[in-house]
Amino acid sequence: MHFEVPKSKHLKEFAGEYLMIVISILTALALEHGAQSLHHHTLAQQASQKIDAEIRANTEELDKVIKHNDQRAEELLVIQKALLADIKAGTMDDETLMKHIVDKYDGAFSLSIHTPTLRREAWEVAVANQSVSWMNSSELKRYSAVYALMRDIQSLSGTGAAMFIDRPYLINVMSNVQMGVSNPREVYRMLNQEITSYRSANTNLRDLQKELAKATPAAH
């Protein structure tokens, strides 16, 4: 910024020129501040759009994972109910009953709990370039809460399901099924563990699913 020192020797002229200089400086500062504010607003808006897109992508990922886990739990529940009915009926010995179950549901005993891969790139970039500091407080609070929950749920989704699984037991029962020496009661207990694990994993994921739905612009 360049300005000339007033050369007038008269007080009135000096005051007038001085006032013009002050007004020029204040105008320049206001224009600079306005330009920076507009730039910051644009960056915050762009970051918000990317974060919203990332949240929607994570919601779609959650939908797929929950659907898979629900489907597998239902498939195992069908086997479990059929097995329990046969056990209670007592019309077949253990060997015959297991052959019947294995032949009918061949390959359906496997455990394949899915956990979501939740993206965080848009949020982390916004934090790194300080775009989040130019968002309004309610928007920033909403985003930070959602991403904190994503982190917590993602860490819980695996450990929560694992709480209901005795992996050595499952491996041993599956081995017995493959060798044809398992008994219906241990298979029933194995199925119960697997079903509970699927449901436990999805309980946490559904909580996150609800919060992500609230965090999208369509929910406001």
Side-chain angles (χ1 to χ4, degrees), residues 1-3 17-31:
M1 184 183 300
H2 173 75
F3 63 89
E17 291 182 17
Y18 182 80
L19 180 62
M20 290 298 297
I21 292 171
V22 171
I23 291 173
S24 297
I25 293 173
L26 292 177
T27 301
L29 291 174
L31 289 173

PDB file of all heavy atoms in Angstrom, residues 1-3 17-31:
ATOM      1  N   MET A   1       0.861  -1.186   0.000  1.00  0.00           N
ATOM      2  CA  MET A   1       0.000   0.000   0.000  1.00  0.00           C
ATOM      3  C   MET A   1       0.900   1.240   0.000  1.00  0.00           C
ATOM      4  O   MET A   1       1.859   1.326   0.761  1.00  0.00           O
ATOM      5  CB  MET A   1      -0.901   0.002   1.238  1.00  0.00           C
ATOM      6  CG  MET A   1      -1.878   1.139   1.271  1.00  0.00           C
ATOM      7  SD  MET A   1      -2.813   1.106   2.803  1.00  0.00           S
ATOM      8  CE  MET A   1      -3.580  -0.494   2.672  1.00  0.00           C
ATOM      9  N   HIS A   2       0.582   2.225  -0.859  1.00  0.00           N
ATOM     10  CA  HIS A   2       1.425   3.423  -0.982  1.00  0.00           C
ATOM     11  C   HIS A   2       0.580   4.666  -0.773  1.00  0.00           C
ATOM     12  O   HIS A   2      -0.546   4.744  -1.286  1.00  0.00           O
ATOM     13  CB  HIS A   2       2.058   3.461  -2.371  1.00  0.00           C
ATOM     14  CG  HIS A   2       2.807   4.742  -2.641  1.00  0.00           C
ATOM     15  ND1 HIS A   2       4.032   5.013  -2.092  1.00  0.00           N
ATOM     16  CD2 HIS A   2       2.475   5.822  -3.401  1.00  0.00           C
ATOM     17  CE1 HIS A   2       4.448   6.201  -2.498  1.00  0.00           C
ATOM     18  NE2 HIS A   2       3.514   6.718  -3.288  1.00  0.00           N
ATOM     19  N   PHE A   3       1.085   5.606  -0.006  1.00  0.00           N
ATOM     20  CA  PHE A   3       0.410   6.899   0.112  1.00  0.00           C
ATOM     21  C   PHE A   3       1.464   7.982   0.350  1.00  0.00           C
ATOM     22  O   PHE A   3       2.572   7.701   0.801  1.00  0.00           O
ATOM     23  CB  PHE A   3      -0.626   6.895   1.252  1.00  0.00           C
ATOM     24  CG  PHE A   3      -0.048   6.681   2.606  1.00  0.00           C
ATOM     25  CD1 PHE A   3       0.389   7.752   3.381  1.00  0.00           C
ATOM     26  CD2 PHE A   3       0.079   5.390   3.121  1.00  0.00           C
ATOM     27  CE1 PHE A   3       0.921   7.546   4.630  1.00  0.00           C
ATOM     28  CE2 PHE A   3       0.626   5.194   4.368  1.00  0.00           C
ATOM     29  CZ  PHE A   3       1.041   6.275   5.132  1.00  0.00           C
ATOM     30  N   GLU A  17      -6.645  15.989   3.944  1.00  0.00           N
ATOM     31  CA  GLU A  17      -5.811  14.990   3.273  1.00  0.00           C
ATOM     32  C   GLU A  17      -5.562  13.787   4.201  1.00  0.00           C
ATOM     33  O   GLU A  17      -5.536  12.635   3.755  1.00  0.00           O
ATOM     34  CB  GLU A  17      -4.491  15.624   2.848  1.00  0.00           C
ATOM     35  CG  GLU A  17      -4.654  16.642   1.729  1.00  0.00           C
ATOM     36  CD  GLU A  17      -3.326  17.231   1.297  1.00  0.00           C
ATOM     37  OE1 GLU A  17      -2.279  16.617   1.633  1.00  0.00           O
ATOM     38  OE2 GLU A  17      -3.334  18.271   0.630  1.00  0.00           O
ATOM     39  N   TYR A  18      -5.350  14.070   5.472  1.00  0.00           N
ATOM     40  CA  TYR A  18      -5.121  12.990   6.447  1.00  0.00           C
ATOM     41  C   TYR A  18      -6.351  12.077   6.537  1.00  0.00           C
ATOM     42  O   TYR A  18      -6.246  10.850   6.589  1.00  0.00           O
ATOM     43  CB  TYR A  18      -4.808  13.595   7.812  1.00  0.00           C
ATOM     44  CG  TYR A  18      -4.514  12.556   8.876  1.00  0.00           C
ATOM     45  CD1 TYR A  18      -3.259  11.946   8.966  1.00  0.00           C
ATOM     46  CD2 TYR A  18      -5.506  12.179   9.792  1.00  0.00           C
ATOM     47  CE1 TYR A  18      -2.996  11.004   9.929  1.00  0.00           C
ATOM     48  CE2 TYR A  18      -5.245  11.225  10.747  1.00  0.00           C
ATOM     49  CZ  TYR A  18      -3.993  10.636  10.824  1.00  0.00           C
ATOM     50  OH  TYR A  18      -3.747   9.693  11.779  1.00  0.00           O
ATOM     51  N   LEU A  19      -7.515  12.699   6.549  1.00  0.00           N
ATOM     52  CA  LEU A  19      -8.755  11.929   6.606  1.00  0.00           C
ATOM     53  C   LEU A  19      -8.900  11.040   5.384  1.00  0.00           C
ATOM     54  O   LEU A  19      -9.322   9.883   5.488  1.00  0.00           O
ATOM     55  CB  LEU A  19      -9.954  12.878   6.720  1.00  0.00           C
ATOM     56  CG  LEU A  19     -11.340  12.207   6.798  1.00  0.00           C
ATOM     57  CD1 LEU A  19     -11.416  11.327   8.048  1.00  0.00           C
ATOM     58  CD2 LEU A  19     -12.439  13.262   6.846  1.00  0.00           C
ATOM     59  N   MET A  20      -8.540  11.548   4.214  1.00  0.00           N
ATOM     60  CA  MET A  20      -8.619  10.756   2.977  1.00  0.00           C
ATOM     61  C   MET A  20      -7.675   9.548   3.054  1.00  0.00           C
ATOM     62  O   MET A  20      -8.006   8.451   2.597  1.00  0.00           O
ATOM     63  CB  MET A  20      -8.271  11.626   1.776  1.00  0.00           C
ATOM     64  CG  MET A  20      -9.316  12.682   1.453  1.00  0.00           C
ATOM     65  SD  MET A  20     -10.924  11.935   1.032  1.00  0.00           S
ATOM     66  CE  MET A  20     -10.484  11.034  -0.450  1.00  0.00           C
ATOM     67  N   ILE A  21      -6.488   9.781   3.633  1.00  0.00           N
ATOM     68  CA  ILE A  21      -5.531   8.675   3.771  1.00  0.00           C
ATOM     69  C   ILE A  21      -6.094   7.604   4.693  1.00  0.00           C
ATOM     70  O   ILE A  21      -6.038   6.408   4.402  1.00  0.00           O
ATOM     71  CB  ILE A  21      -4.186   9.202   4.306  1.00  0.00           C
ATOM     72  CG1 ILE A  21      -3.517  10.083   3.259  1.00  0.00           C
ATOM     73  CG2 ILE A  21      -3.279   8.036   4.693  1.00  0.00           C
ATOM     74  CD1 ILE A  21      -2.293  10.816   3.770  1.00  0.00           C
ATOM     75  N   VAL A  22      -6.663   8.039   5.820  1.00  0.00           N
ATOM     76  CA  VAL A  22      -7.239   7.088   6.781  1.00  0.00           C
ATOM     77  C   VAL A  22      -8.379   6.299   6.133  1.00  0.00           C
ATOM     78  O   VAL A  22      -8.475   5.078   6.282  1.00  0.00           O
ATOM     79  CB  VAL A  22      -7.745   7.822   8.040  1.00  0.00           C
ATOM     80  CG1 VAL A  22      -8.542   6.864   8.934  1.00  0.00           C
ATOM     81  CG2 VAL A  22      -6.573   8.410   8.800  1.00  0.00           C
ATOM     82  N   ILE A  23      -9.240   7.012   5.406  1.00  0.00           N
ATOM     83  CA  ILE A  23     -10.360   6.340   4.734  1.00  0.00           C
ATOM     84  C   ILE A  23      -9.839   5.339   3.707  1.00  0.00           C
ATOM     85  O   ILE A  23     -10.365   4.217   3.585  1.00  0.00           O
ATOM     86  CB  ILE A  23     -11.281   7.379   4.067  1.00  0.00           C
ATOM     87  CG1 ILE A  23     -12.006   8.200   5.140  1.00  0.00           C
ATOM     88  CG2 ILE A  23     -12.288   6.697   3.146  1.00  0.00           C
ATOM     89  CD1 ILE A  23     -12.813   9.358   4.571  1.00  0.00           C
ATOM     90  N   SER A  24      -8.792   5.715   2.983  1.00  0.00           N
ATOM     91  CA  SER A  24      -8.210   4.809   1.979  1.00  0.00           C
ATOM     92  C   SER A  24      -7.666   3.536   2.631  1.00  0.00           C
ATOM     93  O   SER A  24      -7.862   2.427   2.141  1.00  0.00           O
ATOM     94  CB  SER A  24      -7.091   5.526   1.213  1.00  0.00           C
ATOM     95  OG  SER A  24      -7.599   6.625   0.508  1.00  0.00           O
ATOM     96  N   ILE A  25      -6.974   3.729   3.757  1.00  0.00           N
ATOM     97  CA  ILE A  25      -6.399   2.579   4.465  1.00  0.00           C
ATOM     98  C   ILE A  25      -7.514   1.664   4.979  1.00  0.00           C
ATOM     99  O   ILE A  25      -7.462   0.440   4.815  1.00  0.00           O
ATOM    100  CB  ILE A  25      -5.507   3.053   5.632  1.00  0.00           C
ATOM    101  CG1 ILE A  25      -4.268   3.772   5.097  1.00  0.00           C
ATOM    102  CG2 ILE A  25      -5.110   1.864   6.506  1.00  0.00           C
ATOM    103  CD1 ILE A  25      -3.413   4.408   6.171  1.00  0.00           C
ATOM    104  N   LEU A  26      -8.516   2.254   5.599  1.00  0.00           N
ATOM    105  CA  LEU A  26      -9.623   1.464   6.147  1.00  0.00           C
ATOM    106  C   LEU A  26     -10.380   0.740   5.036  1.00  0.00           C
ATOM    107  O   LEU A  26     -10.790  -0.413   5.196  1.00  0.00           O
ATOM    108  CB  LEU A  26     -10.583   2.359   6.935  1.00  0.00           C
ATOM    109  CG  LEU A  26     -10.026   2.959   8.231  1.00  0.00           C
ATOM    110  CD1 LEU A  26     -11.057   3.888   8.871  1.00  0.00           C
ATOM    111  CD2 LEU A  26      -9.639   1.842   9.204  1.00  0.00           C
ATOM    112  N   THR A  27     -10.554   1.404   3.909  1.00  0.00           N
ATOM    113  CA  THR A  27     -11.236   0.776   2.769  1.00  0.00           C
ATOM    114  C   THR A  27     -10.437  -0.409   2.248  1.00  0.00           C
ATOM    115  O   THR A  27     -10.982  -1.476   1.965  1.00  0.00           O
ATOM    116  CB  THR A  27     -11.451   1.797   1.640  1.00  0.00           C
ATOM    117  OG1 THR A  27     -12.234   2.888   2.124  1.00  0.00           O
ATOM    118  CG2 THR A  27     -12.173   1.157   0.460  1.00  0.00           C
ATOM    119  N   ALA A  28      -9.122  -0.207   2.133  1.00  0.00           N
ATOM    120  CA  ALA A  28      -8.264  -1.297   1.651  1.00  0.00           C
ATOM    121  C   ALA A  28      -8.304  -2.488   2.608  1.00  0.00           C
ATOM    122  O   ALA A  28      -8.381  -3.649   2.183  1.00  0.00           O
ATOM    123  CB  ALA A  28      -6.833  -0.794   1.496  1.00  0.00           C
ATOM    124  N   LEU A  29      -8.247  -2.193   3.917  1.00  0.00           N
ATOM    125  CA  LEU A  29      -8.301  -3.274   4.911  1.00  0.00           C
ATOM    126  C   LEU A  29      -9.645  -4.003   4.869  1.00  0.00           C
ATOM    127  O   LEU A  29      -9.702  -5.228   4.985  1.00  0.00           O
ATOM    128  CB  LEU A  29      -8.061  -2.704   6.311  1.00  0.00           C
ATOM    129  CG  LEU A  29      -6.644  -2.199   6.603  1.00  0.00           C
ATOM    130  CD1 LEU A  29      -6.590  -1.527   7.970  1.00  0.00           C
ATOM    131  CD2 LEU A  29      -5.641  -3.350   6.527  1.00  0.00           C
ATOM    132  N   ALA A  30     -10.715  -3.233   4.694  1.00  0.00           N
ATOM    133  CA  ALA A  30     -12.052  -3.840   4.624  1.00  0.00           C
ATOM    134  C   ALA A  30     -12.179  -4.730   3.402  1.00  0.00           C
ATOM    135  O   ALA A  30     -12.742  -5.828   3.465  1.00  0.00           O
ATOM    136  CB  ALA A  30     -13.122  -2.749   4.604  1.00  0.00           C
ATOM    137  N   LEU A  31     -11.648  -4.257   2.264  1.00  0.00           N
ATOM    138  CA  LEU A  31     -11.698  -5.055   1.038  1.00  0.00           C
ATOM    139  C   LEU A  31     -10.875  -6.329   1.185  1.00  0.00           C
ATOM    140  O   LEU A  31     -11.282  -7.411   0.746  1.00  0.00           O
ATOM    141  CB  LEU A  31     -11.187  -4.231  -0.147  1.00  0.00           C
ATOM    142  CG  LEU A  31     -12.096  -3.091  -0.611  1.00  0.00           C
ATOM    143  CD1 LEU A  31     -11.397  -2.247  -1.668  1.00  0.00           C
ATOM    144  CD2 LEU A  31     -13.411  -3.658  -1.163  1.00  0.00           C
TER     145      LEU A  31
END
